[in-house]
Amino acid sequence: MRRRVTIYEVADAAGVSVATVSRALNGGRVAPSTRERVLQVAGRLGFSPSPAARVLATGKSRAIGVVIPDATGPLYGRMLRGIGLELAQAGYTYLVESSERDPGREGQVLRDLSARDVEALVLIGSGLGPQALAAMQGELPALVLVEREGAELAAPMVTIDNESAAERATRYLIEHGHERIAHISGPRRAGRERLAGWRRALAAHGLAPGPVEDGGFTEAGGYRAAKALIGQGGFSAVFVASDRMALGAYRAFREAGLRVGADVSVVGFDGLEFGAYLDPPLSTLRQPAQQLGQAAARAALAVTRGERPENVVLSCELVPRASVMEYGGGL
Amino acid sequence: MRRRVTIYEVADAAGVSVATVSRALNGGRVAPSTRERVLQVAGRLGFSPSPAARVLATGKSRAIGVVIPDATGPLYGRMLRGIGLELAQAGYTYLVESSERDPGREGQVLRDLSARDVEALVLIGSGLGPQALAAMQGELPALVLVEREGAELAAPMVTIDNESAAERATRYLIEHGHERIAHISGPRRAGRERLAGWRRALAAHGLAPGPVEDGGFTEAGGYRAAKALIGQGGFSAVFVASDRMALGAYRAFREAGLRVGADVSVVGFDGLEFGAYLDPPLSTLRQPAQQLGQAAARAALAVTRGERPENVVLSCELVPRASVMEYGGGL
DNA sequence: TATCGTAATGTAAGCGGTTACATAAGCACA
DNA sequence: TGTGCTTATGTAACCGCTTACATTACGATA
């Protein structure tokens, strides 16, 4: 079995005390020549300090906890990569747990992570509401909120600029000559902000808002919402607040005999991979998932240092594709 | 700041010694009445044992390390969910790191995870070769290999039955009347086994193997391979060893004016989400990603107990879709 | 009643680091 | 040469658990 090389063995081999070894390794005051020797011996022996012992001695675990809503979500992998990259530079790691979109389970997960001694918690996406979180905050380490409600929680927030992105999406349709633009909306903060962006773009161009239907951010909801819109008519384009809802909308349009990109233009939101493979490929706004992760990690590191980092707002990139065409007479 | 409740405080409050508290909590011999009281007090005080202290005292970290090739891979999220689920039941956690498909970095990552005291390492997908791993094995905890080469490493392996799945895919084409079936293959063990399954199915039905082109498991490679096949002709269907290569193949067929599902039938492999949204939807073999994760976690737990678990081979499920049609005269 | 085995509990020694405090060494200065 | 600093290093306590071993209590047995 692998056996751990301890600091004592390094100390013996280098002919110094463990305190000196510890200092040499962690940048304390040591004579340069001694440091040199200790480092050399430590390297030769393959010494690597026991994280557990270090945690116990210092009270800092050098780990942060990350809670995601759904392990299979396509964006979370990218966020985690961003988090991992950023943390690694600071010698930190992370523990991930998924709440599986169950607020009760999220509570569990938070307690669990907290019991595991993480120094900060990054909560991604929707989950427990602000009041519920506030109630738990006493027993939890510092929080960082990513794309989540909770301005009142005195926790740093990392978000995307939903409103501007939605405005950009809508403007993209307007630039293609569309004047009657519908919206399939979603719930919560993200949904509200995207709705607001849509409104703002229309208002800025002196256009009246088209019909709005809620799609609950699900494919089935998007399908139903599109059906409802089709029933009402009066639009030549739709801004859909998520790619997944756009998927459902595609189906509804197809069933109604409408060709996306010809009879009706569509812009989605999120930039999920499958959008590129739809027929026609879906125009969308790409979320900067990895950057969100990095920003969240930076914020988390800052809070572990007792700082109070600024909120971060990132913007999305428009991905123009064939689902949007020049206006040529609408529904 | 949150302060940790220690076992001493519980002991005081319950009027017993710390040893008794520890035993009461971990199932040692304690009088039932005492255990009851201790548990009660511990609950009231909100005691949860310091993992670091426990690791230090027992030498077991209750954590395993997981290495994935690519944080954004769509299957890894599912695998991790399986791993997490299984580990949680045993009171274990995991640390993930991604090698980003860089063997050098994988070496780093392994050392890093190992320095973090994980009790076992689950290596997913391709990466360092068996010789390189063997060379490191001395400084690493026990390994579990998931979909990876290394039969000679004396490490439990969790894999899918690539050959049978490929055979099933090919048989599916044969059942639709195709007799001249090409193959776009991939590298490494997975590629070889899928090739073998394709051959086996053809042989079993007395059919001659059609042309084979390697696509390197990438979309661009699939495109090139399909181009090459089209140049040669002589097939009415293709079994493609990965969905991503199938994506490239679709493009090549489209550019050549061939309609997938009509002029040429295609079966992919992996069961990635986007396949359902291709035009036409791609028939494929779905990898049991979550089950792979669970099996891997079970194996990892077993090795931490010093057991030598059996290899696990899981099978894939055929997902029939419109990319395969009854033979009606081929290229 | 003395003896012994057994069950319940307590005492204290680690586990492997960090770090406050003590000590020693080296040097400048009077 | 003695005094006082500064700097380098050592000693040992502590972080919060687990667990080997010691101790105590108690009923069973002779």
Side-chain angles (χ1 to χ4, degrees), chain B:
Chain B
M1 202 56 196
R2 293 173 315 132
R3 218 196 54 79
R4 165 134 250 146
V5 179
T6 75
I7 201 175
Y8 288 92
E9 304 171 41
V10 177
D12 277 359
V16 295
S17 74
V18 293
T20 300
V21 175
S22 177
R23 283 188 285 250
L25 264 36
N26 299 307
R29 303 189 70 98
V30 204
S33 62
T34 311
R35 157 163 294 132
E36 172 83 6
R37 182 157 39 95
V38 170
L39 258 39
Q40 175 136 336
V41 171
R44 175 157 54 75
L45 265 41
F47 170 74
S48 82
S50 152
R54 198 183 269 211
V55 169
L56 198 52
T58 60
K60 338 207 80 264
S61 64
R62 304 194 145 258
I64 70 159
V66 180
V67 182
I68 58 179
D70 174 3
T72 66
L75 293 176
Y76 302 123
R78 301 191 135 74
M79 293 197 191
L80 292 175
R81 172 195 278 166
I83 291 176
L85 251 38
E86 201 67 29
L87 290 182
Q89 298 193 352
Y92 272 64
T93 1
Y94 62 91
L95 269 42
V96 218
E97 291 212 47
S98 162
S99 66
E100 303 297 330
R101 303 195 183 279
D102 170 348
R105 193 172 138 75
E106 187 174 58
Q108 285 261 136
V109 157
L110 290 177
R111 261 180 263 274
D112 180 57
L113 250 14
S114 155
R116 286 203 153 79
D117 266 347
V118 298
E119 295 181 38
L121 278 171
V122 173
L123 309 191
I124 298 180
S126 58
L128 250 26
Q131 5 31 269
L133 275 183
M136 290 186 68
Q137 230 171 351
E139 33 172 333
L140 298 179
L143 303 178
V144 173
L145 306 178
V146 178
E147 273 298 281
R148 189 188 192 110
E149 340 219 5
E152 61 272 48
L153 286 175
M157 308 188 59
V158 175
T159 51
I160 56 172
D161 189 343
N162 282 297
E163 188 169 335
S164 296
E167 189 192 358
R168 179 75 194 86
T170 310
R171 188 149 38 86
Y172 178 58
L173 290 167
I174 295 172
E175 286 162 2
H176 279 74
H178 295 278
E179 300 196 327
R180 299 189 311 176
I181 301 175
H183 180 46
I184 296 180
S185 64
R188 296 187 294 274
R189 198 185 52 101
R192 286 194 304 277
E193 293 177 357
R194 293 173 197 176
L195 174 67
W198 169 77
R199 284 228 179 85
R200 199 169 74 185
L202 293 173
H205 290 79
L207 299 173
V212 179
E213 287 290 334
D214 187 274
F217 280 145
T218 68
E219 180 182 344
Y223 173 79
R224 279 193 300 272
K227 278 274 215 221
L229 288 178
I230 294 167
Q232 302 169 48
F235 63 97
S236 67
V238 196
F239 164 50
V240 186
S242 83
D243 287 353
R244 209 159 285 278
M245 291 195 294
L247 202 54
Y250 265 50
R251 186 155 50 89
F253 289 133
R254 195 177 317 119
E255 289 179 8
L258 297 169
R259 291 160 304 155
V260 171
D263 303 318
V264 57
S265 287
V266 176
V267 180
F269 203 108
D270 284 343
L272 302 190
E273 182 186 24
F274 67 73
Y277 307 124
L278 295 181
D279 178 31
L282 175 65
S283 305
T284 188
L285 277 114
R286 178 151 37 224
Q287 293 217 35
Q290 184 166 332
Q291 284 101 298
L292 277 171
Q294 289 185 251
R298 272 196 294 271
L301 289 172
V303 299
T304 65
R305 289 186 235 106
E307 300 168 21
R308 173 68 176 89
E310 308 248 301
N311 290 347
V312 176
V313 179
L314 298 174
S315 48
C316 301
E317 186 198 354
L318 175 69
V319 183
R321 296 206 188 100
S323 65
V324 173
M325 300 276 268
E326 217 51 53
Y327 175 63
L331 307 185

Side-chain angles (χ1 to χ4, degrees), chain A residues 156-242:
Chain A
M157 307 187 58
V158 176
T159 51
I160 56 172
D161 189 343
N162 282 296
E163 187 169 334
S164 295
E167 189 191 359
R168 180 75 195 86
T170 310
R171 187 149 40 86
Y172 178 58
L173 290 167
I174 295 171
E175 287 162 3
H176 280 73
H178 295 277
E179 301 195 329
R180 300 189 311 175
I181 300 175
H183 180 45
I184 296 180
S185 64
R188 297 187 293 275
R189 197 184 55 99
R192 286 194 303 278
E193 292 179 355
R194 292 173 197 177
L195 174 68
W198 168 77
R199 283 227 179 86
R200 198 168 75 185
L202 293 173
H205 290 78
L207 299 172
V212 179
E213 288 289 334
D214 188 274
F217 280 145
T218 68
E219 181 183 345
Y223 174 78
R224 280 192 300 272
K227 278 274 216 221
L229 288 178
I230 294 167
Q232 302 168 51
F235 62 96
S236 67
V238 197
F239 164 50
V240 186
S242 83

